[in-house]
PDB file of all heavy atoms in Angstrom:
ATOM      1  N   VAL A   1     190.828  65.580 -16.091  1.00 97.00           N
ATOM      2  CA  VAL A   1     191.692  66.741 -16.290  1.00 97.00           C
ATOM      3  C   VAL A   1     190.822  67.990 -16.340  1.00 97.00           C
ATOM      4  O   VAL A   1     190.001  68.148 -17.247  1.00 97.00           O
ATOM      5  CB  VAL A   1     192.493  66.620 -17.602  1.00 97.00           C
ATOM      6  CG1 VAL A   1     193.391  67.833 -17.803  1.00 97.00           C
ATOM      7  CG2 VAL A   1     193.314  65.335 -17.607  1.00 97.00           C
ATOM      8  N   PRO A   2     190.948  68.884 -15.360  1.00 97.00           N
ATOM      9  CA  PRO A   2     190.189  70.137 -15.418  1.00 97.00           C
ATOM     10  C   PRO A   2     190.807  71.057 -16.465  1.00 97.00           C
ATOM     11  O   PRO A   2     192.000  71.383 -16.404  1.00 97.00           O
ATOM     12  CB  PRO A   2     190.357  70.709 -13.999  1.00 97.00           C
ATOM     13  CG  PRO A   2     191.642  70.136 -13.511  1.00 97.00           C
ATOM     14  CD  PRO A   2     191.798  68.789 -14.162  1.00 97.00           C
ATOM     15  N   VAL A   3     190.020  71.459 -17.445  1.00 96.00           N
ATOM     16  CA  VAL A   3     190.566  72.251 -18.538  1.00 96.00           C
ATOM     17  C   VAL A   3     189.438  73.047 -19.196  1.00 96.00           C
ATOM     18  O   VAL A   3     188.302  72.562 -19.301  1.00 96.00           O
ATOM     19  CB  VAL A   3     191.285  71.349 -19.566  1.00 96.00           C
ATOM     20  CG1 VAL A   3     190.310  70.393 -20.238  1.00 96.00           C
ATOM     21  CG2 VAL A   3     192.038  72.168 -20.597  1.00 96.00           C
ATOM     22  N   LEU A   4     189.755  74.252 -19.636  1.00 94.00           N
ATOM     23  CA  LEU A   4     188.785  75.087 -20.337  1.00 94.00           C
ATOM     24  C   LEU A   4     188.798  74.776 -21.831  1.00 94.00           C
ATOM     25  O   LEU A   4     189.747  74.198 -22.353  1.00 94.00           O
ATOM     26  CB  LEU A   4     189.107  76.563 -20.102  1.00 94.00           C
ATOM     27  CG  LEU A   4     189.064  77.046 -18.655  1.00 94.00           C
ATOM     28  CD1 LEU A   4     189.519  78.504 -18.578  1.00 94.00           C
ATOM     29  CD2 LEU A   4     187.671  76.880 -18.066  1.00 94.00           C
ATOM     30  N   GLY A   5     187.733  75.187 -22.501  1.00 93.00           N
ATOM     31  CA  GLY A   5     187.684  75.055 -23.952  1.00 93.00           C
ATOM     32  C   GLY A   5     187.117  73.746 -24.445  1.00 93.00           C
ATOM     33  O   GLY A   5     187.266  73.404 -25.626  1.00 93.00           O
ATOM     34  N   VAL A   6     186.454  72.971 -23.581  1.00 97.00           N
ATOM     35  CA  VAL A   6     185.883  71.682 -23.968  1.00 97.00           C
ATOM     36  C   VAL A   6     184.398  71.849 -24.265  1.00 97.00           C
ATOM     37  O   VAL A   6     183.637  72.348 -23.428  1.00 97.00           O
ATOM     38  CB  VAL A   6     186.087  70.635 -22.858  1.00 97.00           C
ATOM     39  CG1 VAL A   6     185.431  69.315 -23.243  1.00 97.00           C
ATOM     40  CG2 VAL A   6     187.576  70.438 -22.570  1.00 97.00           C
ATOM     41  N   ASP A   7     183.983  71.418 -25.430  1.00 97.00           N
ATOM     42  CA  ASP A   7     182.573  71.448 -25.812  1.00 97.00           C
ATOM     43  C   ASP A   7     181.938  70.122 -25.371  1.00 97.00           C
ATOM     44  O   ASP A   7     182.390  69.053 -25.794  1.00 97.00           O
ATOM     45  CB  ASP A   7     182.451  71.601 -27.328  1.00 97.00           C
ATOM     46  CG  ASP A   7     181.011  71.827 -27.781  1.00 97.00           C
ATOM     47  OD1 ASP A   7     180.082  71.370 -27.085  1.00 97.00           O
ATOM     48  OD2 ASP A   7     180.825  72.450 -28.858  1.00 97.00           O
ATOM     49  N   PRO A   8     180.921  70.142 -24.518  1.00 96.00           N
ATOM     50  CA  PRO A   8     180.314  68.890 -24.046  1.00 96.00           C
ATOM     51  C   PRO A   8     179.687  68.057 -25.157  1.00 96.00           C
ATOM     52  O   PRO A   8     179.370  66.882 -24.943  1.00 96.00           O
ATOM     53  CB  PRO A   8     179.253  69.371 -23.042  1.00 96.00           C
ATOM     54  CG  PRO A   8     178.982  70.796 -23.403  1.00 96.00           C
ATOM     55  CD  PRO A   8     180.280  71.332 -23.928  1.00 96.00           C
ATOM     56  N   ARG A   9     179.535  68.633 -26.347  1.00 96.00           N
ATOM     57  CA  ARG A   9     178.960  67.885 -27.473  1.00 96.00           C
ATOM     58  C   ARG A   9     180.003  67.087 -28.247  1.00 96.00           C
ATOM     59  O   ARG A   9     179.654  66.333 -29.160  1.00 96.00           O
ATOM     60  CB  ARG A   9     178.240  68.849 -28.417  1.00 96.00           C
ATOM     61  CG  ARG A   9     177.036  69.559 -27.785  1.00 96.00           C
ATOM     62  CD  ARG A   9     176.524  70.676 -28.674  1.00 96.00           C
ATOM     63  NE  ARG A   9     177.542  71.727 -28.831  1.00 96.00           N
ATOM     64  CZ  ARG A   9     177.370  72.824 -29.564  1.00 96.00           C
ATOM     65  NH1 ARG A   9     176.220  73.015 -30.200  1.00 96.00           N
ATOM     66  NH2 ARG A   9     178.334  73.725 -29.653  1.00 96.00           N
ATOM     67  N   TRP A  10     181.277  67.251 -27.918  1.00 98.00           N
ATOM     68  CA  TRP A  10     182.307  66.476 -28.613  1.00 98.00           C
ATOM     69  C   TRP A  10     182.107  64.980 -28.378  1.00 98.00           C
ATOM     70  O   TRP A  10     181.664  64.558 -27.305  1.00 98.00           O
ATOM     71  CB  TRP A  10     183.689  66.851 -28.089  1.00 98.00           C
ATOM     72  CG  TRP A  10     184.196  68.182 -28.525  1.00 98.00           C
ATOM     73  CD1 TRP A  10     183.655  69.017 -29.469  1.00 98.00           C
ATOM     74  CD2 TRP A  10     185.351  68.853 -28.006  1.00 98.00           C
ATOM     75  NE1 TRP A  10     184.413  70.160 -29.577  1.00 98.00           N
ATOM     76  CE2 TRP A  10     185.456  70.095 -28.690  1.00 98.00           C
ATOM     77  CE3 TRP A  10     186.295  68.533 -27.040  1.00 98.00           C
ATOM     78  CZ2 TRP A  10     186.482  70.999 -28.425  1.00 98.00           C
ATOM     79  CZ3 TRP A  10     187.315  69.427 -26.773  1.00 98.00           C
ATOM     80  CH2 TRP A  10     187.409  70.643 -27.462  1.00 98.00           C
ATOM     81  N   PRO A  11     182.493  64.168 -29.344  1.00 98.00           N
ATOM     82  CA  PRO A  11     182.462  62.721 -29.136  1.00 98.00           C
ATOM     83  C   PRO A  11     183.664  62.272 -28.312  1.00 98.00           C
ATOM     84  O   PRO A  11     184.556  63.081 -27.992  1.00 98.00           O
ATOM     85  CB  PRO A  11     182.573  62.181 -30.568  1.00 98.00           C
ATOM     86  CG  PRO A  11     183.403  63.217 -31.271  1.00 98.00           C
ATOM     87  CD  PRO A  11     182.957  64.544 -30.693  1.00 98.00           C
ATOM     88  N   MET A  12     183.684  61.012 -27.943  1.00 98.00           N
ATOM     89  CA  MET A  12     184.926  60.442 -27.428  1.00 98.00           C
ATOM     90  C   MET A  12     185.923  60.406 -28.574  1.00 98.00           C
ATOM     91  O   MET A  12     185.580  60.033 -29.704  1.00 98.00           O
ATOM     92  CB  MET A  12     184.714  59.024 -26.894  1.00 98.00           C
ATOM     93  CG  MET A  12     186.016  58.334 -26.464  1.00 98.00           C
ATOM     94  SD  MET A  12     185.786  56.641 -25.867  1.00 98.00           S
ATOM     95  CE  MET A  12     185.207  56.974 -24.207  1.00 98.00           C
ATOM     96  N   VAL A  13     187.152  60.834 -28.310  1.00 98.00           N
ATOM     97  CA  VAL A  13     188.222  60.837 -29.306  1.00 98.00           C
ATOM     98  C   VAL A  13     189.194  59.711 -28.959  1.00 98.00           C
ATOM     99  O   VAL A  13     189.694  59.648 -27.828  1.00 98.00           O
ATOM    100  CB  VAL A  13     188.952  62.189 -29.342  1.00 98.00           C
ATOM    101  CG1 VAL A  13     190.121  62.140 -30.327  1.00 98.00           C
ATOM    102  CG2 VAL A  13     187.980  63.310 -29.706  1.00 98.00           C
ATOM    103  N   MET A  14     189.467  58.843 -29.930  1.00 98.00           N
ATOM    104  CA  MET A  14     190.334  57.696 -29.688  1.00 98.00           C
ATOM    105  C   MET A  14     191.410  57.629 -30.764  1.00 98.00           C
ATOM    106  O   MET A  14     191.108  57.637 -31.964  1.00 98.00           O
ATOM    107  CB  MET A  14     189.504  56.407 -29.672  1.00 98.00           C
ATOM    108  CG  MET A  14     190.282  55.166 -29.274  1.00 98.00           C
ATOM    109  SD  MET A  14     189.202  53.758 -28.892  1.00 98.00           S
ATOM    110  CE  MET A  14     188.547  54.263 -27.292  1.00 98.00           C
ATOM    111  N   ASP A  15     192.665  57.601 -30.348  1.00 98.00           N
ATOM    112  CA  ASP A  15     193.784  57.515 -31.286  1.00 98.00           C
ATOM    113  C   ASP A  15     193.866  56.113 -31.865  1.00 98.00           C
ATOM    114  O   ASP A  15     193.882  55.125 -31.122  1.00 98.00           O
ATOM    115  CB  ASP A  15     195.080  57.861 -30.553  1.00 98.00           C
ATOM    116  CG  ASP A  15     196.303  57.681 -31.426  1.00 98.00           C
ATOM    117  OD1 ASP A  15     196.305  58.225 -32.548  1.00 98.00           O
ATOM    118  OD2 ASP A  15     197.242  56.985 -30.990  1.00 98.00           O
ATOM    119  N   VAL A  16     193.929  55.997 -33.179  1.00 98.00           N
ATOM    120  CA  VAL A  16     193.922  54.677 -33.814  1.00 98.00           C
ATOM    121  C   VAL A  16     195.192  53.898 -33.527  1.00 98.00           C
ATOM    122  O   VAL A  16     195.220  52.668 -33.634  1.00 98.00           O
ATOM    123  CB  VAL A  16     193.677  54.829 -35.338  1.00 98.00           C
ATOM    124  CG1 VAL A  16     194.941  55.307 -36.052  1.00 98.00           C
ATOM    125  CG2 VAL A  16     193.160  53.525 -35.948  1.00 98.00           C
ATOM    126  N   HIS A  17     196.266  54.584 -33.131  1.00 97.00           N
ATOM    127  CA  HIS A  17     197.498  53.897 -32.727  1.00 97.00           C
ATOM    128  C   HIS A  17     197.446  53.407 -31.280  1.00 97.00           C
ATOM    129  O   HIS A  17     198.402  52.779 -30.812  1.00 97.00           O
ATOM    130  CB  HIS A  17     198.704  54.834 -32.885  1.00 97.00           C
ATOM    131  CG  HIS A  17     199.067  55.144 -34.306  1.00 97.00           C
ATOM    132  ND1 HIS A  17     199.356  54.171 -35.235  1.00 97.00           N
ATOM    133  CD2 HIS A  17     199.189  56.336 -34.952  1.00 97.00           C
ATOM    134  CE1 HIS A  17     199.644  54.743 -36.394  1.00 97.00           C
ATOM    135  NE2 HIS A  17     199.549  56.046 -36.256  1.00 97.00           N
ATOM    136  N   GLY A  18     196.356  53.713 -30.579  1.00 96.00           N
ATOM    137  CA  GLY A  18     196.215  53.237 -29.214  1.00 96.00           C
ATOM    138  C   GLY A  18     197.028  53.998 -28.195  1.00 96.00           C
ATOM    139  O   GLY A  18     197.422  53.434 -27.161  1.00 96.00           O
ATOM    140  N   ARG A  19     197.249  55.297 -28.422  1.00 97.00           N
ATOM    141  CA  ARG A  19     198.064  56.070 -27.488  1.00 97.00           C
ATOM    142  C   ARG A  19     197.244  56.850 -26.471  1.00 97.00           C
ATOM    143  O   ARG A  19     197.762  57.203 -25.412  1.00 97.00           O
ATOM    144  CB  ARG A  19     198.957  57.041 -28.272  1.00 97.00           C
ATOM    145  CG  ARG A  19     200.009  56.331 -29.117  1.00 97.00           C
ATOM    146  CD  ARG A  19     200.829  57.295 -29.939  1.00 97.00           C
ATOM    147  NE  ARG A  19     200.014  57.969 -30.950  1.00 97.00           N
ATOM    148  CZ  ARG A  19     200.512  58.608 -32.011  1.00 97.00           C
ATOM    149  NH1 ARG A  19     201.830  58.689 -32.157  1.00 97.00           N
ATOM    150  NH2 ARG A  19     199.720  59.189 -32.883  1.00 97.00           N
ATOM    151  N   TYR A  20     195.981  57.125 -26.767  1.00 97.00           N
ATOM    152  CA  TYR A  20     195.142  57.876 -25.842  1.00 97.00           C
ATOM    153  C   TYR A  20     193.693  57.817 -26.278  1.00 97.00           C
ATOM    154  O   TYR A  20     193.363  57.505 -27.434  1.00 97.00           O
ATOM    155  CB  TYR A  20     195.571  59.355 -25.781  1.00 97.00           C
ATOM    156  CG  TYR A  20     195.390  60.091 -27.091  1.00 97.00           C
ATOM    157  CD1 TYR A  20     194.178  60.690 -27.447  1.00 97.00           C
ATOM    158  CD2 TYR A  20     196.440  60.174 -28.018  1.00 97.00           C
ATOM    159  CE1 TYR A  20     194.011  61.350 -28.655  1.00 97.00           C
ATOM    160  CE2 TYR A  20     196.287  60.825 -29.222  1.00 97.00           C
ATOM    161  CZ  TYR A  20     195.073  61.409 -29.534  1.00 97.00           C
ATOM    162  OH  TYR A  20     194.922  62.043 -30.747  1.00 97.00           O
ATOM    163  N   TYR A  21     192.811  58.109 -25.330  1.00 97.00           N
ATOM    164  CA  TYR A  21     191.443  58.517 -25.654  1.00 97.00           C
ATOM    165  C   TYR A  21     191.017  59.556 -24.636  1.00 97.00           C
ATOM    166  O   TYR A  21     191.541  59.621 -23.519  1.00 97.00           O
ATOM    167  CB  TYR A  21     190.466  57.334 -25.705  1.00 97.00           C
ATOM    168  CG  TYR A  21     190.090  56.703 -24.378  1.00 97.00           C
ATOM    169  CD1 TYR A  21     189.213  57.325 -23.486  1.00 97.00           C
ATOM    170  CD2 TYR A  21     190.587  55.447 -24.026  1.00 97.00           C
ATOM    171  CE1 TYR A  21     188.854  56.737 -22.283  1.00 97.00           C
ATOM    172  CE2 TYR A  21     190.241  54.852 -22.825  1.00 97.00           C
ATOM    173  CZ  TYR A  21     189.369  55.496 -21.960  1.00 97.00           C
ATOM    174  OH  TYR A  21     189.028  54.897 -20.769  1.00 97.00           O
ATOM    175  N   PHE A  22     190.091  60.410 -25.050  1.00 97.00           N
ATOM    176  CA  PHE A  22     189.517  61.372 -24.107  1.00 97.00           C
ATOM    177  C   PHE A  22     188.089  61.676 -24.531  1.00 97.00           C
ATOM    178  O   PHE A  22     187.700  61.475 -25.688  1.00 97.00           O
ATOM    179  CB  PHE A  22     190.354  62.653 -24.014  1.00 97.00           C
ATOM    180  CG  PHE A  22     190.349  63.524 -25.241  1.00 97.00           C
ATOM    181  CD1 PHE A  22     189.372  64.493 -25.441  1.00 97.00           C
ATOM    182  CD2 PHE A  22     191.352  63.389 -26.216  1.00 97.00           C
ATOM    183  CE1 PHE A  22     189.375  65.309 -26.570  1.00 97.00           C
ATOM    184  CE2 PHE A  22     191.358  64.195 -27.341  1.00 97.00           C
ATOM    185  CZ  PHE A  22     190.373  65.159 -27.525  1.00 97.00           C
ATOM    186  N   GLU A  23     187.308  62.144 -23.561  1.00 97.00           N
ATOM    187  CA  GLU A  23     185.932  62.555 -23.827  1.00 97.00           C
ATOM    188  C   GLU A  23     185.553  63.665 -22.865  1.00 97.00           C
ATOM    189  O   GLU A  23     186.158  63.801 -21.798  1.00 97.00           O
ATOM    190  CB  GLU A  23     184.967  61.378 -23.682  1.00 97.00           C
ATOM    191  CG  GLU A  23     184.837  60.852 -22.267  1.00 97.00           C
ATOM    192  CD  GLU A  23     183.788  59.763 -22.149  1.00 97.00           C
ATOM    193  OE1 GLU A  23     183.057  59.536 -23.132  1.00 97.00           O
ATOM    194  OE2 GLU A  23     183.676  59.149 -21.072  1.00 97.00           O
ATOM    195  N   PRO A  24     184.578  64.505 -23.230  1.00 96.00           N
ATOM    196  CA  PRO A  24     184.165  65.584 -22.338  1.00 96.00           C
ATOM    197  C   PRO A  24     183.679  65.052 -20.998  1.00 96.00           C
ATOM    198  O   PRO A  24     183.016  64.012 -20.919  1.00 96.00           O
ATOM    199  CB  PRO A  24     183.021  66.257 -23.112  1.00 96.00           C
ATOM    200  CG  PRO A  24     183.285  65.914 -24.548  1.00 96.00           C
ATOM    201  CD  PRO A  24     183.857  64.535 -24.525  1.00 96.00           C
ATOM    202  N   ASP A  25     184.043  65.764 -19.956  1.00 94.00           N
ATOM    203  CA  ASP A  25     183.579  65.469 -18.607  1.00 94.00           C
ATOM    204  C   ASP A  25     183.304  66.817 -17.952  1.00 94.00           C
ATOM    205  O   ASP A  25     183.855  67.837 -18.370  1.00 94.00           O
ATOM    206  CB  ASP A  25     184.644  64.690 -17.832  1.00 94.00           C
ATOM    207  CG  ASP A  25     184.147  64.224 -16.480  1.00 94.00           C
ATOM    208  OD1 ASP A  25     183.494  63.176 -16.430  1.00 94.00           O
ATOM    209  OD2 ASP A  25     184.414  64.919 -15.470  1.00 94.00           O
ATOM    210  N   ALA A  26     182.471  66.846 -16.943  1.00 89.00           N
ATOM    211  CA  ALA A  26     182.102  68.119 -16.317  1.00 89.00           C
ATOM    212  C   ALA A  26     183.343  68.911 -15.919  1.00 89.00           C
ATOM    213  O   ALA A  26     184.147  68.451 -15.117  1.00 89.00           O
ATOM    214  CB  ALA A  26     181.235  67.856 -15.091  1.00 89.00           C
ATOM    215  N   GLY A  27     183.528  70.075 -16.534  1.00 89.00           N
ATOM    216  CA  GLY A  27     184.660  70.929 -16.205  1.00 89.00           C
ATOM    217  C   GLY A  27     185.967  70.509 -16.822  1.00 89.00           C
ATOM    218  O   GLY A  27     187.030  71.010 -16.443  1.00 89.00           O
ATOM    219  N   GLY A  28     185.952  69.606 -17.783  1.00 95.00           N
ATOM    220  CA  GLY A  28     187.197  69.171 -18.403  1.00 95.00           C
ATOM    221  C   GLY A  28     187.009  67.940 -19.263  1.00 95.00           C
ATOM    222  O   GLY A  28     186.016  67.820 -19.971  1.00 95.00           O
ATOM    223  N   VAL A  29     187.997  67.020 -19.190  1.00 97.00           N
ATOM    224  CA  VAL A  29     187.919  65.794 -19.971  1.00 97.00           C
ATOM    225  C   VAL A  29     188.289  64.599 -19.108  1.00 97.00           C
ATOM    226  O   VAL A  29     189.060  64.704 -18.142  1.00 97.00           O
ATOM    227  CB  VAL A  29     188.861  65.816 -21.209  1.00 97.00           C
ATOM    228  CG1 VAL A  29     188.471  66.904 -22.179  1.00 97.00           C
ATOM    229  CG2 VAL A  29     190.319  65.945 -20.788  1.00 97.00           C
ATOM    230  N   LEU A  30     187.731  63.450 -19.457  1.00 97.00           N
ATOM    231  CA  LEU A  30     188.186  62.168 -18.933  1.00 97.00           C
ATOM    232  C   LEU A  30     189.221  61.659 -19.918  1.00 97.00           C
ATOM    233  O   LEU A  30     188.952  61.562 -21.120  1.00 97.00           O
ATOM    234  CB  LEU A  30     187.026  61.193 -18.807  1.00 97.00           C
ATOM    235  CG  LEU A  30     187.312  59.834 -18.145  1.00 97.00           C
ATOM    236  CD1 LEU A  30     186.031  59.252 -17.558  1.00 97.00           C
ATOM    237  CD2 LEU A  30     187.910  58.825 -19.124  1.00 97.00           C
ATOM    238  N   LEU A  31     190.406  61.319 -19.424  1.00 97.00           N
ATOM    239  CA  LEU A  31     191.557  61.022 -20.277  1.00 97.00           C
ATOM    240  C   LEU A  31     192.193  59.705 -19.870  1.00 97.00           C
ATOM    241  O   LEU A  31     192.283  59.389 -18.684  1.00 97.00           O
ATOM    242  CB  LEU A  31     192.586  62.149 -20.139  1.00 97.00           C
ATOM    243  CG  LEU A  31     193.977  61.956 -20.728  1.00 97.00           C
ATOM    244  CD1 LEU A  31     193.923  61.904 -22.260  1.00 97.00           C
ATOM    245  CD2 LEU A  31     194.900  63.077 -20.252  1.00 97.00           C
ATOM    246  N   SER A  32     192.640  58.936 -20.865  1.00 97.00           N
ATOM    247  CA  SER A  32     193.397  57.708 -20.591  1.00 97.00           C
ATOM    248  C   SER A  32     194.555  57.598 -21.567  1.00 97.00           C
ATOM    249  O   SER A  32     194.414  57.946 -22.744  1.00 97.00           O
ATOM    250  CB  SER A  32     192.507  56.469 -20.736  1.00 97.00           C
ATOM    251  OG  SER A  32     193.282  55.281 -20.623  1.00 97.00           O
ATOM    252  N   PRO A  33     195.710  57.088 -21.104  1.00 97.00           N
ATOM    253  CA  PRO A  33     196.826  56.832 -22.016  1.00 97.00           C
ATOM    254  C   PRO A  33     196.715  55.477 -22.709  1.00 97.00           C
ATOM    255  O   PRO A  33     197.650  55.049 -23.380  1.00 97.00           O
ATOM    256  CB  PRO A  33     198.037  56.861 -21.080  1.00 97.00           C
ATOM    257  CG  PRO A  33     197.505  56.333 -19.784  1.00 97.00           C
ATOM    258  CD  PRO A  33     196.093  56.856 -19.699  1.00 97.00           C
ATOM    259  N   CYS A  34     195.573  54.805 -22.534  1.00 96.00           N
ATOM    260  CA  CYS A  34     195.338  53.486 -23.159  1.00 96.00           C
ATOM    261  C   CYS A  34     196.410  52.476 -22.767  1.00 96.00           C
ATOM    262  O   CYS A  34     196.785  51.616 -23.572  1.00 96.00           O
ATOM    263  CB  CYS A  34     195.245  53.607 -24.678  1.00 96.00           C
ATOM    264  SG  CYS A  34     193.811  54.533 -25.257  1.00 96.00           S
ATOM    265  N   ASP A  35     196.932  52.599 -21.537  1.00 96.00           N
ATOM    266  CA  ASP A  35     197.915  51.624 -21.076  1.00 96.00           C
ATOM    267  C   ASP A  35     197.261  50.253 -20.940  1.00 96.00           C
ATOM    268  O   ASP A  35     196.057  50.130 -20.711  1.00 96.00           O
ATOM    269  CB  ASP A  35     198.528  52.062 -19.748  1.00 96.00           C
ATOM    270  CG  ASP A  35     197.480  52.449 -18.712  1.00 96.00           C
ATOM    271  OD1 ASP A  35     196.487  53.101 -19.091  1.00 96.00           O
ATOM    272  OD2 ASP A  35     197.643  52.098 -17.530  1.00 96.00           O
ATOM    273  N   SER A  36     198.083  49.233 -21.073  1.00 95.00           N
ATOM    274  CA  SER A  36     197.609  47.853 -20.982  1.00 95.00           C
ATOM    275  C   SER A  36     198.699  47.022 -20.321  1.00 95.00           C
ATOM    276  O   SER A  36     199.277  46.119 -20.928  1.00 95.00           O
ATOM    277  CB  SER A  36     197.263  47.322 -22.375  1.00 95.00           C
ATOM    278  OG  SER A  36     196.607  46.079 -22.310  1.00 95.00           O
ATOM    279  N   THR A  37     198.961  47.333 -19.055  1.00 96.00           N
ATOM    280  CA  THR A  37     200.082  46.754 -18.328  1.00 96.00           C
ATOM    281  C   THR A  37     199.667  45.455 -17.648  1.00 96.00           C
ATOM    282  O   THR A  37     198.714  45.441 -16.857  1.00 96.00           O
ATOM    283  CB  THR A  37     200.579  47.734 -17.247  1.00 96.00           C
ATOM    284  OG1 THR A  37     200.844  49.003 -17.855  1.00 96.00           O
ATOM    285  CG2 THR A  37     201.832  47.213 -16.571  1.00 96.00           C
ATOM    286  N   PRO A  38     200.358  44.337 -17.943  1.00 97.00           N
ATOM    287  CA  PRO A  38     200.015  43.063 -17.272  1.00 97.00           C
ATOM    288  C   PRO A  38     200.057  43.217 -15.758  1.00 97.00           C
ATOM    289  O   PRO A  38     200.909  43.913 -15.202  1.00 97.00           O
ATOM    290  CB  PRO A  38     201.099  42.107 -17.774  1.00 97.00           C
ATOM    291  CG  PRO A  38     201.525  42.670 -19.088  1.00 97.00           C
ATOM    292  CD  PRO A  38     201.450  44.161 -18.922  1.00 97.00           C
TER     293      PRO A  38
END
């Protein structure tokens, strides 16, 4: 996701309910909805 306002020093952020995780990536964030579809 290209987005402004991301600090490259942030850790990976993971929702304890398993709804998402994201981490800094060049020019934005790498994002997942934590889907687990058979």
Side-chain angles (χ1 to χ4, degrees):
V1 180
V3 64
L4 299 175
V6 177
D7 188 332
R9 296 170 296 180
W10 287 351
M12 175 181 281
V13 176
M14 186 167 286
D15 175 51
V16 76
H17 290 304
R19 293 177 294 197
Y20 64 86
Y21 72 74
F22 69 87
E23 67 175 352
D25 187 83
V29 297
L30 186 156
L31 169 67
S32 173
C34 294
D35 50 320
S36 189
T37 307

